Amino acid sequence: MTSTFVIDGVPRRLATTATSKGEAGHVDLRVGTHNSTLAGLTDALSTAITTALQAGAPPTAFVDAFRRTRYVPAGATGDPHVPHATSLGDYLAQRLHHNHPDGPERP
């Protein structure tokens, strides 16, 4: 499932794929311009999350870790399922929870 969103006027993209069992299996967060520090860091974060998911970590582990983190960019996202995020990590957590709600509902 691919979601596009905008924070601070810059378009961004988050793609998640599921395993044959419907569990989260891959995360691809694209932010910033190619070869920028931010793009590299979000690519590394995506790789780390994907590796952990494939090793059996539940998506809720990332939802719990990243939800309500606060740093810029933050604000309205243009995503009807995640209308506001306090950071890129918060957006990622909310979207993971929306796409793969395998745990208790989080406020």
Side-chain angles (χ1 to χ4, degrees), residues 29-89:
L29 179 61
R30 296 291 170 186
V31 177
T33 57
H34 184 67
N35 288 331
S36 71
T37 301
L38 184 56
L41 288 172
T42 56
D43 187 45
L45 176 63
S46 296
T47 300
I49 291 171
T50 296
T51 301
L53 290 171
Q54 292 174 356
T60 54
F62 301 102
V63 172
D64 292 341
F66 297 135
R67 185 71 173 103
R68 293 187 183 84
T69 55
R70 295 185 181 277
Y71 53 88
V72 294
T77 67
D79 180 337
H81 299 288
V82 182
H84 186 271
T86 58
S87 67
L88 291 172

